């Protein structure tokens, strides 16, 4: 009889660190995410943004998110995919580095989602791809400025709400 109790206590003793380990992993991912967000925000703030180009392109690029309206992992993930698409169409070295940072950030958010039991969709609305390509063909300058402006707001919003994102 006491063997059964001892086995149960040993099992509980071995199981408890796994619960704490998952929380530690989530905290580590959040710390890494915040560090990357800080770097990205600093890079974007150094980039000159033409306000008139942002105003003129705001209506046609309204599908690019500005802030986290539903604070969820899925919405954050989808928004980052749209920004990845926008910055993949821009060719300068600075945009390529930002694109790589966006991919890394999306992977970190996806990892947080997996640890929370959320699945993240990797698809983009085909209409948004078409709209973005059309706007890029019309005025790459406008797309660049709108993307930078909205990305700055979006990343700041993620930074602000990262600890409170709990829903899928």
């Amino acid at each position: 009889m006491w063997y059964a109790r001892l086995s149960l206590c040993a099992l509980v003793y071995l199981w408890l660190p796994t619960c704490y380990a998952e929380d530690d992993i989530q905290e580590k991912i959040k710390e890494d995410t915040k560090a990357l967000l800080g770097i990205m925000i600093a890079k974007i703030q150094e980039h000159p943004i033409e306000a008139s180009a942002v105003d003129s392109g705001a209506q046609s690029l309204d599908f690019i998110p500005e802030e986290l309206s539903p604070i969820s992992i899925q919405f954050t993930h989808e928004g980052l995919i749209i920004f990845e698409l926008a910055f993949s169409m821009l060719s300068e070295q600075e945009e390529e580095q930002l694109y790589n940072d966006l991919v890394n950030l999306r992977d970190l958010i996806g990892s947080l989602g997996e640890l929370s039991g959320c699945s993240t969709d990797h698809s983009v609305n085909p209409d948004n791809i078409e709209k973005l390509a059309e706007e890029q063909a019309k005025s790459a300058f406008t797309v660049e400025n709108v993307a930078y402006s909205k990305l700055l707001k979006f990343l700041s919003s993620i930074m602000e709400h990262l600890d409170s994102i709990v829903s899928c």
Side-chain angles (χ1 to χ4, degrees):
M1 180 79 168
W2 64 274
Y3 291 116
R5 284 190 211 155
L6 182 62
S7 296
L8 181 61
C9 288
L11 182 63
V12 169
Y13 180 76
L14 292 173
W15 177 73
L16 281 176
T18 61
C19 295
Y20 293 116
E22 188 173 304
D23 288 340
D24 289 344
I25 291 170
Q26 280 185 328
E27 288 305 313
K28 178 65 175 148
I29 291 173
K30 284 184 180 181
E31 288 173 16
D32 291 346
T33 303
K34 288 178 182 178
L36 182 57
L37 284 166
I39 291 167
M40 292 173 72
I41 289 170
K43 284 180 189 176
I44 294 169
Q45 287 173 334
E46 292 174 1
H47 185 81
I49 298 173
E50 185 68 40
S52 62
V54 173
D55 293 339
S56 69
Q59 292 296 329
S60 58
L61 296 169
D62 62 347
F63 62 90
I64 298 176
E66 275 188 73
E67 295 181 30
L68 293 174
S69 48
I71 302 171
S72 71
I73 290 175
Q74 182 65 33
F75 181 79
T76 304
H77 197 265
E78 288 171 4
L80 290 170
I81 290 172
I82 292 171
F83 283 112
E84 280 178 36
L85 182 62
F87 282 96
S88 70
M89 293 181 175
L90 303 172
S91 62
E92 290 186 30
Q93 183 69 27
E94 187 176 321
E95 281 81 18
E96 289 178 22
Q97 179 59 50
L98 196 54
Y99 171 80
N100 292 333
D101 290 343
L102 283 166
V103 170
N104 292 333
L105 181 59
R106 184 176 49 84
D107 289 343
L108 286 169
I109 296 293
S111 296
L112 278 177
E114 288 175 15
L115 287 172
S116 301
C118 303
S119 64
T120 50
D121 187 14
H122 295 280
S123 63
V124 178
N125 183 343
D127 293 338
N128 291 344
I129 296 172
E130 190 176 311
K131 287 180 196 175
L132 190 57
E134 287 173 8
E135 291 300 318
Q136 177 72 13
K138 286 182 200 173
S139 176
F141 179 75
T142 300
V143 171
E144 177 184 351
N145 281 281
V146 169
Y148 269 102
S149 174
K150 289 188 173 192
L151 182 60
L152 180 60
K153 292 175 186 175
F154 192 74
L155 295 178
S156 297
S157 183
I158 294 172
M159 179 79 93
E160 181 181 336
H161 299 294
L162 184 63
D163 291 324
S164 64
I165 295 178
V166 291
S167 66
C168 294

